[in-house]
Amino acid sequence: LLVTGQASHAQTCRVNIGTNAQGTVSYMEVYEYDYVSEKPTFPGGDRNLMTFINATRNYPIDAYRKGIQGRVTCAFIVNTDGSVSHISVLRGVNPSLNKEAIRVLGEMPEWNPGKLNGKPVPVRVIWSVPFRR
């Protein structure tokens, strides 16, 4: 991840969005969450986001039986239209929990997009999905 300053108070980063058929890696420039004037928000706020995660999350049975627990920290992009994309695990716990965290975040409804100077911009959000027995 490369971090660059685009303006005195608008910091961006480049996010790897995949490799094309020719093997060229593509990047997307997005704004960091703390550097936009209006932060992206889940419909109804953080409390509703946690309610959504708790209602959607399925604790993988094998991990549950083995007592594996923790928080899977993920990054994702809230696009200018509010859609969520490019979900990745920043700090995982276990492959099955990591996969479930990505699935849950991928099912989120559209967010209210972040804005810079009143204009919607893509913003990178970091969020943890908890797994506790």
Side-chain angles (χ1 to χ4, degrees):
L1 207 62
L2 294 174
V3 177
T4 58
Q6 188 168 38
S8 61
H9 45 300
Q11 191 164 0
T12 60
C13 66
R14 289 176 48 195
V15 175
N16 180 332
I17 59 171
T19 305
N20 66 17
Q22 293 75 34
T24 304
V25 178
S26 297
Y27 294 91
M28 176 175 158
E29 193 155 347
V30 298
Y31 288 85
E32 291 287 1
Y33 183 84
D34 289 335
Y35 292 90
V36 292
S37 49
E38 290 180 50
K39 311 225 181 302
T41 56
F42 186 84
D46 290 352
R47 173 174 257 144
N48 281 7
L49 175 54
M50 284 310 303
T51 300
F52 170 84
I53 288 172
N54 290 332
T56 308
R57 177 189 56 222
N58 295 315
Y59 208 126
I61 192 69
D62 194 50
Y64 183 83
R65 285 184 179 147
K66 291 179 180 175
I68 299 169
Q69 58 185 2
R71 299 175 78 78
V72 178
T73 303
C74 296
F76 54 89
I77 306 302
V78 175
N79 297 295
T80 57
D81 63 358
S83 64
V84 173
S85 67
H86 302 93
I87 303 165
S88 63
V89 174
L90 297 179
R91 182 179 299 156
V93 174
N94 165 278
S96 65
L97 298 185
N98 299 350
K99 184 178 177 181
E100 177 61 7
I102 289 172
R103 185 194 70 78
V104 168
L105 295 177
E107 291 188 14
M108 290 187 295
E110 288 187 353
W111 285 47
N112 301 308
K115 295 181 181 178
L116 186 63
N117 301 324
K119 179 184 172 209
V121 294
V123 178
R124 183 173 82 132
V125 175
I126 297 173
W127 198 268
S128 294
V129 177
F131 292 88
R132 290 185 211 93
R133 285 190 65 197

